[in-house]
Amino acid sequence: GSALRTGDVLTAIDGRTISDDGQIALRGNELIQHRYLLRNKRIGEPTVFTVFRDGKHEERPAVHLADLPPICPRWPDVDYLPEYLILGALALVPLSQSHHWYKECPSDLKATINRWLKRWPGDRDGKNQLVLLVTVFAHELTFGYRRGWRVVETYNGTSITSLGHLRELWHSTREEVRAWRGSEAAKADPPSNSKLPGPGLFVRLGLQNDDDIVLDAAAAMDA
């Protein structure tokens, strides 16, 4: 089972006693937060936690620490591989800490980055990345939508967990459009190879702190 469980009181790491305020002795009388011990560990290095559980102290079996990337990584090509998705006339990327320093970055987006970075790593609402609508290209499809730099939270009501997840949802919609077009083209007499209108499918992107963006799926494919 897990080395730690809800209700455990952490009393020591690798035999180093943790005080009531979460500090450990570093050198002599110098004190430092216990996070220091964990942040200086190598990935895969064994770590032993001692806890107070069910009225007694218990040394748990050693665990091997793994890397847990931040939900808003720092720099492309350093903490994550750069990636993007063009959906119709919208450009979407993973939200990273580096966006904080762009002059275009609005204050509410900076606050979002800071808020997520302060959350406990295991408390991510099932998300692996936050997705940023970074650019709205000029196109008749996006007429009336001007504001980029918004976090995209949902796709047709489904909560987005990463840019890869959004890409899978979009590709699934595209396949529906292609299947419909193939079916309609086969019905034509004679069969038509011209580009047909769509089956009336729409893509609704739910944005954080802004109105949704709604696009005709077939028109987004053709954009």
Side-chain angles (χ1 to χ4, degrees):
S2 175
L4 301 175
R5 71 185 189 194
T6 303
D8 284 347
V9 177
L10 189 59
T11 59
I13 300 176
D14 292 337
R16 304 277 292 275
T17 301
I18 301 174
S19 63
D20 291 342
D21 60 1
Q23 297 189 98
I24 60 168
L26 178 62
R27 290 183 295 268
N29 293 325
E30 290 184 54
L31 297 177
I32 193 169
Q33 282 295 317
H34 68 281
R35 294 189 297 269
Y36 168 83
L37 292 179
L38 300 177
R39 288 176 175 172
N40 283 275
K41 290 273 189 177
R42 297 186 301 274
I43 294 175
E45 184 177 353
T47 302
V48 176
F49 295 106
T50 303
V51 300
F52 187 74
R53 177 187 296 178
D54 298 330
K56 61 182 180 181
H57 289 277
E58 182 177 331
E59 184 175 288
R60 303 296 299 151
V63 296
H64 295 82
L65 302 181
D67 185 29
L68 183 62
I71 196 162
C72 295
R74 294 173 297 176
W75 298 105
D77 282 328
V78 176
D79 289 335
Y80 71 102
L81 295 176
E83 58 176 329
Y84 66 91
L85 171 65
I86 302 298
L87 196 166
L90 309 175
L92 303 114
V93 298
L95 181 63
S96 73
Q97 294 181 48
S98 59
H99 290 118
H100 196 291
W101 293 288
Y102 283 75
K103 64 180 180 180
E104 297 91 345
C105 186
S107 57
D108 61 336
L109 184 57
K110 293 179 180 179
T112 294
I113 294 172
N114 293 334
R115 184 170 65 252
W116 277 90
L117 289 175
K118 290 177 181 177
R119 295 180 71 161
W120 179 252
D123 182 21
R124 294 183 170 182
D125 297 340
K127 298 181 184 294
N128 296 316
Q129 290 176 329
L130 300 180
V131 176
L132 176 66
L133 168 60
V134 69
T135 303
V136 179
F137 295 112
H139 192 280
E140 61 182 15
L141 179 68
T142 53
F143 183 79
Y145 298 118
R146 301 177 182 176
R147 298 184 299 276
W149 293 87
R150 297 291 187 272
V151 172
V152 182
E153 296 184 319
T154 61
Y155 178 96
N156 288 345
T158 298
S159 181
I160 296 169
T161 61
S162 67
L163 187 65
H165 181 219
L166 175 58
R167 182 181 293 109
E168 291 174 0
L169 294 170
W170 166 232
H171 285 183
S172 177
T173 300
R174 293 197 314 182
E175 289 305 311
E176 289 186 61
V177 174
R178 288 194 181 105
W180 182 89
R181 282 178 166 173
S183 174
E184 293 300 305
K187 294 177 185 177
D189 187 19
S192 173
N193 292 321
S194 61
K195 192 166 290 185
L196 294 169
L201 289 176
F202 290 89
V203 171
R204 178 182 291 272
L205 299 179
L207 306 183
Q208 177 181 280
N209 301 328
D210 209 337
D211 295 333
D212 294 354
I213 293 180
V214 180
L215 306 175
D216 180 272
M221 287 176 57
D222 300 337

